[in-house]
Amino acid sequence: MRQEQFVARHQAEWLAFESWLHARGGNARRARGERNTGELTDEDVPARYRRICQHLALARRRGYSPVVVDRLQALMQQGHGVLYRTPPPRWQRALRFLLAEFPRLVRSEAGCMWVAAVVFVFPLVLMFVLLQFRPELVYSIVSPEQVAMWERMYDPSDERHALGRESGTDWQMFGHYIWNNIGIGLRTFAGGLLAGVGALFVLIVNGISIGTVFGHLQQIGSGDPLWRFVCGHAPFELTAIVLAGGAGLRLGLSLVAPGRLRRIDALAKAGAKGARLCLGVAFMLLVAAFIEAFWSSTQSIPAALKYSVSGVLWTLVALWLGMGGRGVADED
């Protein structure tokens, strides 16, 4: 085959591979969950790389010009560097996931995340406002015994209680909070298997529950201890609940509207992405549990400092999820 025919036949393949290398910054492959807007997908790259190696061997054997040989040689070397280099240490990959990949995953499902946020926040705010005008509604939602327990735990005049904690060491409560928080997150995500309805139900129930506690205690004048207790860990815990709900909604949508994929394939794809989202959610809930155990319940910290730290944490969480990973290439 003449050189001109050879180049014309395979030019599109080489350009697609060059485009893929350029999109990865020449040094890394994007995570499989990322949308690939080029002609060549990550799954196709190994086969395409082998074809380019074959083209290079043919070009050399047939004595094609150095321009063609050098071009194929460069593509082969760059592709080898991407595909076969030594993977980074595990801690580095974990850090990259948390700082870059996880925020990008969250943003890639922005629609589901915003729906989850509205479904969670609306009943929370609604219950809080209603209880300021109709305080007796609290007994339609929870038992009088539960209400009495809240009032006892957050009684501003009772100095025996550490902002809501009646017993248990910090480390014991840390373990309890981890178990409780991650359990809520997993139930919220798993609820998506019920066509997304389960995730919506868990979000609504949690929103009503939180809004009821805050609304009732605020109405009777016991809101200050509760606000000071919750403000520190709320940025991580509440945001994580919303993200778990958004991941559950995506899981449900894959069942209801699988698109061109088979329903089982769409569910598997959404499940893999949801599992990665849940890793980030679990990290956020772990951080929330640590703050709740060692910071939130400490009475000696001034309220102004607690609220200031809370504001900083809300800002950091928003910047992390909104800006994390922008312009950074992933590594496998």
Side-chain angles (χ1 to χ4, degrees):
M1 181 184 297
R2 297 180 61 181
Q3 177 175 302
E4 293 78 7
Q5 295 174 317
F6 180 78
V7 172
R9 174 175 294 184
H10 302 295
Q11 177 83 312
E13 297 181 50
W14 303 342
L15 289 174
F17 193 72
E18 286 177 335
S19 176
W20 182 86
L21 288 171
H22 178 72
R24 283 12 175 216
N27 63 357
R29 287 183 294 169
R30 292 191 183 277
R32 292 176 184 265
E34 287 286 309
R35 176 178 295 180
N36 188 346
T37 57
E39 299 177 10
L40 192 63
T41 66
D42 293 339
E43 292 77 7
D44 297 332
V45 167
R48 182 62 57 86
Y49 172 75
R50 290 191 294 269
R51 282 181 58 81
I52 287 176
C53 291
Q54 293 171 357
H55 294 165
L56 175 60
L58 287 172
R60 286 172 172 169
R61 188 169 68 246
R62 293 171 180 173
Y64 291 156
S65 71
V67 173
V68 175
V69 173
D70 290 347
R71 180 184 182 188
L72 291 173
Q73 177 73 26
L75 287 177
M76 185 272 292
Q77 290 176 343
Q78 292 175 37
H80 186 276
V82 171
L83 292 170
Y84 298 109
R85 69 171 179 205
T86 303
R90 289 189 177 183
W91 68 266
Q92 194 177 91
R93 282 180 284 172
L95 188 62
R96 175 178 285 271
F97 170 77
L98 290 174
L99 296 181
E101 296 178 32
F102 176 66
R104 281 204 296 261
L105 283 173
V106 171
R107 293 195 298 270
S108 72
E109 297 296 342
C112 289
M113 299 304 172
W114 281 114
V115 170
V118 171
V119 170
F120 175 69
V121 173
F122 179 76
L124 188 157
V125 174
L126 179 63
M127 288 307 306
F128 181 87
V129 173
L130 283 176
L131 287 171
Q132 307 313 301
F133 300 97
R134 298 282 302 277
E136 70 278 4
L137 287 177
V138 68
Y139 298 105
S140 301
I141 301 171
V142 295
S143 67
E145 293 77 15
Q146 184 70 41
V147 173
M149 186 187 73
W150 293 343
E151 295 175 354
R152 186 175 66 253
M153 289 176 63
Y154 297 98
D155 183 357
S157 63
D158 190 347
E159 297 182 357
R160 294 176 303 168
H161 303 326
L163 292 178
R165 180 189 304 170
E166 296 187 71
S167 62
T169 66
D170 288 344
W171 285 106
Q172 287 174 335
M173 296 310 295
F174 179 46
H176 169 74
Y177 293 143
I178 291 174
W179 179 263
N180 180 70
N181 293 350
I182 293 181
I184 292 174
L186 290 177
R187 286 196 299 273
T188 307
F189 171 66
L193 289 172
L194 300 176
V197 176
L200 292 174
F201 176 78
V202 175
L203 288 169
I204 292 172
V205 168
N206 276 279
I208 291 174
S209 176
I210 295 172
T212 300
V213 175
F214 277 86
H216 175 70
L217 293 177
Q218 182 69 28
Q219 198 278 330
I220 66 172
S222 298
D224 178 65
L226 178 60
W227 288 107
R228 285 188 289 123
F229 175 67
V230 170
C231 68
H233 57 272
F236 287 94
E237 184 173 339
L238 299 185
T239 304
I241 291 174
V242 169
L243 298 186
L249 287 177
R250 167 47 57 196
L251 200 62
L253 284 175
S254 69
L255 288 171
V256 176
R260 296 184 178 181
L261 298 176
R262 294 186 305 164
R263 188 164 274 103
I264 186 65
D265 294 333
L267 180 61
K269 183 177 180 180
K273 192 172 189 178
R276 292 170 63 80
L277 282 167
C278 282
L279 285 176
V281 167
F283 166 77
M284 295 181 70
L285 292 174
L286 182 66
V287 173
F290 183 85
I291 296 173
E292 189 172 2
F294 298 100
W295 169 269
S296 297
S297 59
T298 304
Q299 296 190 63
S300 59
I301 301 174
L305 179 57
K306 284 201 168 188
Y307 293 137
S308 298
V309 170
S310 178
V312 171
L313 291 178
W314 275 112
T315 302
L316 290 176
V317 169
L319 290 175
W320 170 44
L321 297 178
M323 302 299 296
R326 292 188 184 274
V328 178
D330 288 332
E331 292 184 6
D332 286 340

